[in-house]
């Protein structure tokens, strides 16, 4: 089915930018959005990709209570290793 939708220019730019970030053609991204598909699942192949995705989604810095991330990770690991099974 072919459907023509007139979008405001700003919305079109936002959709195109998001499609580009996800490395998708604009048409495919629009179909996913309209279908309610999970459009926020880019292919993350490296740790750097994951960190960039977290930063873009505003997730980095959401835990100001953790002053030393490495120490926090060590504590979590130690607690997990000592957990009763």
């Amino acid at each position: 089915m072919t459907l023509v939708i007139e979008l405001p220019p700003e919305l079109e730019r936002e959709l195109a930018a998001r499609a580009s970030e996800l490395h998708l053609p604009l048409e495919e991204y629009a179909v996913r959005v309209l279908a309610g598909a999970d459009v926020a699942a880019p292919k993350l192949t490296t740790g750097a990709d994951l960190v960039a995705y977290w930063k873009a989604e505003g997730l980095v810095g959401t835990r100001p209570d953790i002053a030393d991330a490495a120490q926090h990770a060590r504590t979590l690991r130690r607690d997990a290793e000592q957990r009763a099974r």
Side-chain angles (χ1 to χ4, degrees):
M1 174 179 150
T2 300
L3 176 65
V4 177
I5 301 174
E6 292 294 325
L7 299 175
E10 180 60 30
L11 179 56
E12 183 180 357
R13 283 191 295 275
E14 289 176 25
L15 285 172
R18 187 68 176 139
S20 177
E21 289 172 10
L22 297 172
H23 306 290
L24 293 172
L26 178 55
E27 294 79 10
E28 182 179 342
Y29 177 71
V31 168
R32 289 184 184 194
V33 168
L34 291 171
D38 183 13
V39 297
K43 294 178 182 156
L44 305 172
T45 56
T46 67
D49 289 344
L50 180 60
V51 171
Y53 173 70
W54 286 344
K55 285 181 180 178
E57 294 299 316
L59 297 173
V60 174
T62 58
R63 293 288 309 267
D65 56 308
I66 301 173
D68 184 348
Q71 180 57 44
H72 182 71
R74 285 190 291 274
T75 301
L76 290 175
R77 172 174 247 170
R78 186 194 66 233
D79 292 349
E81 289 172 345
Q82 296 176 353
R83 188 173 25 222
R85 295 177 192 207

